[in-house]
Amino acid sequence: MSGLAENLSVHMNSPTFAIVAGEASGDTLGADLMCALKRLFPNARFEGIGGPKMIAEGFVSFYPMDRLSVMGFVEPLKRLPELLSIRRDIINRCKQSKPAAFIGIDSPDFNLGIEKALHNSGIKTVHYVSPSVWAWRQGRIKGIKRCVDLMLTLLPFEKAFYQQHAVPVAFVGHPLAGQIPRTPDSNGARQQLGLDIDRPLLCIMPGSRGGEVALMGELFLMVARRLLESNPQLQFVIPAANGDRHRQLTEILAEHPQLPVTLIEQQSLLAMEAADAVLLASGTTALEAMLLKKPMVVSYKLGKWTYKLVRPFIKTPFASIPNLLAAEMVVPELIQDEATVDSLSAAVSNALDVNARHLVEQRFEELYEQINLPSGDTAAAAIKKLLCL
């Protein structure tokens, strides 16, 4: 065996994987991926930036993961010097240690810069969880192509997009499919939340950010008032994303004292599991509702001028993941000017209809099968294939 081949063999028998995860969802994906990689490479080492789940699997984190968890516009600007310093340090560490691969989990604004530098220095780079480049600002694909040796996508239509642009890609399935109960227990969820099991229930989810709740909260409650007029037995549950949203929604609800609304903090999956249907602002919530087999109405509004600015960059025919997966309008989407009290009330009323629910549940079961893969094992196998090329 030549010296080069021998070194490569040793490297592959006990590889080091550098991983950066910037938030809780990435920590969950990272821990799952580590377990799968250890089955393929029993002597593997893992280092970089990760959270408690990854650390419990033997990960060495050079920085606390929460140092990367910044939101909004002001906080990232304040923290920019620190974030740039952390990124430079990770790049330098990787250039010195030369891991078998660098794996950036989500957090594209932070990870793609690392991936570009390491890719240019000859280190294999993997990005796990595609940015929404297929949906808007598709020109970003050129930059991604210069950064990554392998893109791991959670959804099948994302894989097709990367293939169209000649970016190496593997579809690994969505981990939520394995985390959400395949047969929801609506009565059990209602009992946990103290809700009446004999009355119809609508879950209202106006978003997780303050701006979203400001735009969608009042509209959704006006829809609730309209629905209550035609169905006095209807009850409502609203899961606030956090304490700030709980306070914001409490203020909005004070203007609607006649509505039978149960406001809770977090527990969004339990609230959706309890419901007969969901009225939601577009986002990951739509995927969660689909996996729970819940009929839904998807709506979203932006500020008038913001919408005019971003609309030309949106390239996808649908806003919600269920419709993107199905490549057809499975659930109603009422966006911007179409999001009126009349149109939303009619759509939600139909979603609450028992016969309509059965048809949607069957379609959602088919979509569930599309994304129900062992994500960690599938991702690990794709990484092994990359390293063996």
Side-chain angles (χ1 to χ4, degrees):
M1 184 182 291
S2 70
L4 180 61
E6 187 173 354
N7 288 339
L8 180 62
S9 176
V10 171
H11 189 60
M12 292 309 299
N13 283 334
S14 55
T16 295
F17 293 98
I19 305 176
V20 170
E23 54 191 48
S25 60
D27 184 36
T28 300
L29 286 175
D32 183 42
L33 177 60
M34 285 175 61
C35 289
L37 285 169
K38 283 190 282 189
R39 285 191 284 272
L40 296 177
F41 306 102
N43 298 317
R45 295 178 62 255
F46 303 90
E47 61 185 29
I49 302 176
K53 292 181 180 178
M54 293 169 66
I55 291 169
E57 293 296 332
F59 188 81
V60 176
S61 190
F62 300 134
Y63 297 90
M65 187 181 71
D66 59 15
R67 300 313 299 161
L68 304 187
S69 300
V70 292
M71 296 182 65
F73 296 101
V74 177
E75 188 182 0
L77 289 174
K78 288 181 178 177
R79 299 269 314 285
L80 187 60
E82 178 191 5
L83 292 170
L84 290 175
S85 174
I86 292 173
R87 187 158 69 179
R88 282 194 300 271
D89 184 52
I90 295 296
I91 290 170
N92 289 334
R93 285 175 183 270
C94 288
K95 285 183 176 179
Q96 290 173 10
S97 65
K98 299 197 182 314
F102 173 86
I103 304 164
I105 302 180
D106 210 352
S107 303
D109 292 337
F110 187 83
N111 277 325
L112 285 172
I114 298 175
E115 289 158 19
K116 182 178 181 181
L118 297 182
H119 176 80
N120 290 341
S121 70
I123 294 170
K124 297 289 187 183
T125 58
V126 180
H127 193 85
Y128 192 177
V129 183
S130 170
S132 299
V133 64
W134 41 269
W136 75 298
R137 289 175 56 207
Q138 292 189 355
R140 291 178 293 166
I141 189 68
K142 296 176 183 176
I144 292 172
K145 191 173 183 178
R146 291 192 291 268
C147 297
V148 303
D149 292 292
L150 176 65
M151 177 65 70
L152 301 175
T153 73
L154 306 186
L155 302 166
F157 59 82
E158 295 174 322
K159 177 182 178 180
F161 176 81
Y162 282 98
Q163 286 176 325
Q164 289 169 13
H165 292 86
V167 177
V169 62
F171 162 57
V172 303
H174 204 294
L176 275 176
Q179 297 166 14
I180 289 177
R182 190 161 187 171
T183 304
D185 179 8
S186 294
N187 286 348
R190 291 190 189 196
Q191 288 171 348
Q192 286 189 59
L193 295 171
L195 298 165
D196 193 326
I197 64 172
D198 296 319
R199 293 167 56 194
L201 175 65
L202 176 68
C203 179
I204 296 175
M205 305 190 68
S208 60
R209 299 181 178 89
E212 290 175 329
V213 172
L215 282 167
M216 306 305 298
E218 181 66 24
L219 173 62
F220 283 4
L221 290 177
M222 290 172 67
V223 171
R225 287 179 61 176
R226 177 73 61 83
L227 292 166
L228 195 63
E229 292 172 4
S230 58
N231 189 351
Q233 288 296 304
L234 191 57
Q235 58 183 331
F236 308 94
V237 61
I238 304 179
N242 51 48
D244 288 339
R245 298 294 76 74
H246 192 279
R247 287 186 286 274
Q248 184 181 9
L249 285 161
T250 298
E251 292 176 6
I252 297 172
L253 281 166
E255 302 298 319
H256 302 270
Q258 76 284 13
L259 283 176
V261 174
T262 300
L263 178 63
I264 59 176
E265 190 168 332
Q266 299 181 337
Q267 296 183 292
S268 60
L269 286 174
L270 191 64
M272 285 191 283
E273 186 175 7
D276 294 303
V278 185
L279 172 60
L280 58 91
S282 181
T284 304
T285 306
L287 174 63
E288 294 170 338
M290 182 197 88
L291 293 170
L292 285 164
K293 317 297 190 303
K294 299 297 177 178
M296 73 189 82
V297 175
V298 176
S299 182
Y300 204 76
K301 275 192 169 187
L302 293 170
K304 179 181 177 181
W305 295 109
T306 303
Y307 185 74
K308 283 191 173 184
L309 283 171
V310 304
R311 185 66 188 92
F313 297 99
I314 300 172
K315 301 300 182 183
T316 177
F318 304 114
S320 67
I321 290 178
N323 290 341
L324 287 163
L325 283 171
E328 62 177 325
M329 191 74 79
V330 177
V331 302
E333 294 181 356
L334 297 165
I335 309 298
Q336 208 62 18
D337 294 340
E338 294 180 347
T340 66
V341 174
D342 286 345
S343 59
L344 286 169
S345 299
V348 174
S349 181
N350 184 61
L352 287 164
D353 180 80
V354 174
N355 293 324
R357 288 212 305 268
H358 288 320
L359 291 173
V360 171
E361 286 167 3
Q362 291 173 12
R363 193 71 176 94
F364 284 174
E365 179 65 25
E366 296 168 5
L367 298 178
Y368 170 93
E369 290 293 346
Q370 280 191 31
I371 63 172
N372 184 31
L373 296 177
S375 301
D377 287 324
T378 309
I383 292 169
K384 182 179 181 182
K385 183 178 178 182
L386 170 71
L387 299 182
C388 290
L389 290 177

